[in-house]
Amino acid sequence: MPKKVIPKKMPAKRTSNKIPQLLRGFKDILPVDQQYWRLVRQAGQDFADGYSFGKISLPILEESNLFVRSIGKDTDIVQKEMFTYNDVSEGSVTLRPEFTASVARAYINHGMFNLPQPVKFYYFGPLFRRDKPQAGRYRQFYQLGYEVIGDTGAIIDAQLIVLAYNLLNQLGLKNFTIQINSIGTPESRKEYKKELVSYYKSKRKMLCENCKKRLLKNPLRLLDCKEASCQPFKGEAPQIVDWLDDESKAHFMKVLEYLDGLDIPYILNPYLVRGLDYYTKTVFEIWPAEKEDGAQGALGGGGRYDGLIETLGGRPTPAAGFSLGVERLIIQLKEQEVKLTNHQAPKIFLAQIGDQAKIKAMKLFEQLRADGIIAAENFTKDGLKNQLEIANNLGVRYVLILGQKEVVDGTILLRDMESGVQEVFDFNKTLQEIKKKLSAN
Ligand code: AMP
């Protein structure tokens, strides 16, 4: 007899007539914020171009197995944060919680080991983690990131850190620190993990509930626990640098040498381990200076993952990369009051009075737009006072005014909102005159 399938209890359907609301941890990005997004996206792309990274766009939905195998089944992400469901035809699928695994999959699927190595990727897009929502921690968030696949050199790790440092500076961010550590190879880590577990076992009773679980499942994460009760034990804990194999140690020294040579400031953090299984050797994180002890404040992080491609069934291929959280960068840009220049802001306002003027103004608007001049307008309004008020609120310097008289005369008025002075021009010379004014400012 085939087993009777008992459907899992489904959550109550949202059938009420209340206004639909955002899901917890999801956000709308409104027009007022888009200039920050544009800035970050543009800087990300400019740096990709400047350092010769090719843009890769990846699907949002992937086989769940991709993430379980790469991130690791005992990690927080896989254990409790993935948005996973059973698709009728594809089986278990997951909204991507990170990019690196997908980049590695794409590298293997498209046989990119046949390309000149290393292959350098840039990405920008949304990720999904069922995290506890709070400031700077969402269930849908965006990352931009850079991955270099196909080279073991310490210079790759260093150059990724240089890129991150320069990118944050270019955005205008100050007061951030780069923390760096090496976690060696899986082999050298085995011995270290034993030491770490035996040290923490003696403190078991005093550990937070999460750390009690970590002791069994993910001991490295004991080191970056943020609970106050677990802090006193860190100081005496064995440090991973003392357990590194010679090759990892030499690699790490080289990374630091390159960073010193390029005057990139960094902090050695022996407790930095990152949360995912695939990391090897170099790991690093970027923190806003005032939040070094904060639980959720890292702006970004990354490191080397020499075993990942092989874990996923590709040939052994070394790799390294990092990503930055876009929302957290924007929070910092706002907190640090970084000034933005909005090149898309309208420079002039086009006002009109009367039906005849409306048609002429609409035509002029199209001409201005085709010429790359952004004009604001509100063609639904009729009164001049009203329109000048709108122009004033927008902070535009010049207002073009077309009234009935101007239509009859074939002229147009140009009002300087700063001085209040108005000039009359031949309508056919509008473009010429407005360009002269704008270039003079
Ligand atoms: P991770 O790979 O988890 O270290 O994430 C890299 C960066 O992505 C972090 O440093 C954050 O800036 C950002 N990030 C990670 N998780 C979230 C989240 N739930 N909400 C917002 N940003 C996040």
Side-chain angles (χ1 to χ4, degrees):
M1 277 272 286
K3 248 188 175 172
K4 200 170 166 195
V5 181
I6 302 164
K8 274 197 191 145
K9 202 174 162 210
M10 300 289 283
K13 265 197 184 159
R14 294 165 192 259
T15 48
S16 82
N17 285 329
K18 276 199 285 187
I19 298 169
Q21 299 294 321
L22 276 172
L23 296 174
R24 257 160 49 83
F26 288 75
K27 277 196 146 203
D28 298 318
I29 306 165
L30 301 177
V32 287
D33 267 342
Q34 293 292 346
Q35 47 178 337
Y36 289 97
W37 284 79
R38 191 190 281 255
L39 176 81
V40 174
R41 191 189 277 268
Q42 190 59 50
Q45 184 61 59
D46 288 348
F47 272 69
D49 295 339
Y51 288 78
S52 301
F53 284 69
K55 173 99 189 266
I56 186 162
S57 304
L58 298 151
I60 285 171
L61 201 61
E62 297 260 16
E63 272 179 36
S64 302
N65 211 15
L66 168 65
F67 302 114
V68 178
R69 277 168 69 183
S70 45
I71 298 171
K73 67 175 177 16
D74 291 325
T75 56
D76 285 353
I77 294 180
V78 171
Q79 286 281 311
K80 44 187 189 195
E81 295 174 5
M82 298 208 302
F83 284 90
T84 295
Y85 76 94
N86 261 323
D87 183 78
V88 272
S89 60
E90 302 295 338
S92 180
V93 292
T94 293
L95 290 178
R96 65 182 181 207
E98 64 120 39
F99 273 107
T100 308
S102 298
V103 175
R105 176 199 50 67
Y107 176 90
I108 303 170
N109 288 166
H110 298 279
M112 289 196 228
F113 41 79
N114 290 318
L115 299 175
Q117 305 293 299
V119 187
K120 297 157 83 175
F121 300 98
Y122 163 68
Y123 51 77
F124 187 108
L127 302 174
F128 303 84
R129 294 184 194 172
R130 198 189 303 278
D131 228 329
K132 204 166 140 207
Q134 51 193 283
R137 186 156 284 264
Y138 313 109
R139 291 184 164 177
Q140 176 179 338
F141 61 97
Y142 283 70
Q143 279 185 354
L144 70 147
Y146 302 81
E147 312 284 342
V148 181
I149 303 189
D151 200 288
T152 53
I155 201 155
I156 300 283
D157 313 35
Q159 209 183 13
L160 284 164
I161 296 172
V162 172
L163 193 165
Y165 178 76
N166 288 339
L167 177 47
L168 294 197
N169 275 315
Q170 167 82 23
L171 285 172
L173 290 177
K174 297 193 175 57
N175 308 327
F176 61 88
T177 58
I178 297 171
Q179 304 192 5
I180 184 166
N181 193 21
S182 174
I183 55 169
T185 59
E187 294 76 44
S188 65
R189 232 159 28 223
K190 254 185 217 150
E191 280 308 302
Y192 171 70
K193 274 189 196 167
K194 271 190 211 156
E195 274 305 304
L196 191 68
V197 167
S198 103
Y199 167 80
Y200 269 102
K201 260 192 179 154
S202 63
K203 327 272 178 225
R204 197 176 178 283
K205 277 194 191 137
M206 293 166 281
L207 295 177
C208 72
E209 284 314 304
N210 243 337
C211 277
K212 281 180 187 150
K213 285 185 205 143
R214 289 179 177 135
L215 204 46
L216 296 172
K217 300 212 154 181
N218 200 355
L220 281 188
R221 291 305 297 270
L222 286 160
L223 291 174
D224 64 6
C225 176
K226 305 289 185 297
E227 289 292 325
S229 57
C230 296
Q231 299 313 306
F233 313 124
K234 269 191 198 173
E236 298 281 300
Q239 295 194 352
I240 196 156
V241 278
D242 298 326
W243 298 80
L244 291 185
D245 54 289
D246 290 345
E247 214 265 305
S248 296
K249 214 180 278 175
H251 192 274
F252 191 38
M253 289 303 136
K254 267 257 164 265
V255 176
L256 301 183
E257 226 172 80
Y258 288 128
L259 294 178
D260 291 339
L262 283 149
D263 292 325
I264 304 293
Y266 58 83
I267 295 170
L268 290 173
N269 178 355
Y271 307 117
L272 181 67
V273 292
R274 308 276 296 135
L276 323 180
D277 273 8
Y278 54 62
Y279 284 111
T280 53
K281 295 184 176 162
T282 317
V283 287
F284 64 96
E285 277 180 357
I286 301 159
W287 286 79
E290 68 276 20
K291 275 198 189 154
E292 263 157 61
D293 298 327
Q296 263 87 46
L299 297 175
R304 184 159 276 285
Y305 49 96
D306 287 343
L308 177 60
I309 309 268
E310 197 180 356
T311 304
L312 293 176
R315 41 179 94 168
T317 313
F322 77 94
S323 60
L324 296 166
V326 179
E327 287 82 356
R328 292 198 194 167
L329 289 179
I330 292 175
I331 291 172
Q332 282 300 305
L333 286 169
K334 289 181 177 173
E335 269 179 21
Q336 297 188 20
E337 294 176 10
V338 173
K339 292 266 171 301
L340 303 185
T341 31
N342 183 2
H343 299 291
Q344 271 61 46
K347 307 273 185 305
I348 57 173
F349 189 93
L350 184 48
Q352 40 63 46
I353 312 144
D355 272 351
Q356 292 287 317
K358 259 195 217 315
I359 295 172
K360 214 166 174 186
M362 283 176 81
K363 279 193 184 156
L364 177 60
F365 175 84
E366 293 305 328
Q367 282 169 356
L368 289 165
R369 201 178 55 79
D371 236 53
I373 300 169
I374 302 173
E377 46 73 28
N378 194 327
F379 292 147
T380 59
K381 298 276 184 281
D382 292 321
L384 182 61
K385 192 165 168 264
N386 222 325
Q387 294 181 69
L388 288 180
E389 236 172 65
I390 299 170
N392 202 31
N393 288 340
L394 287 171
V396 295
R397 170 89 185 262
Y398 298 105
V399 180
L400 285 167
I401 306 169
L402 262 180
Q404 271 145 339
K405 183 172 181 310
E406 286 72 32
V407 173
V408 174
D409 295 351
T411 56
I412 189 161
L413 290 178
L414 181 73
R415 183 187 173 94
D416 183 333
M417 296 295 277
E418 267 176 28
S419 62
V421 173
Q422 287 193 173
E423 297 170 72
V424 189
F425 295 112
D426 179 348
F427 180 80
N428 294 325
K429 294 205 174 128
T430 310
L431 246 69
Q432 213 173 308
E433 294 297 336
I434 197 76
K435 276 186 190 167
K436 238 193 267 170
K437 290 282 181 202
L438 292 177
S439 65
N441 286 285

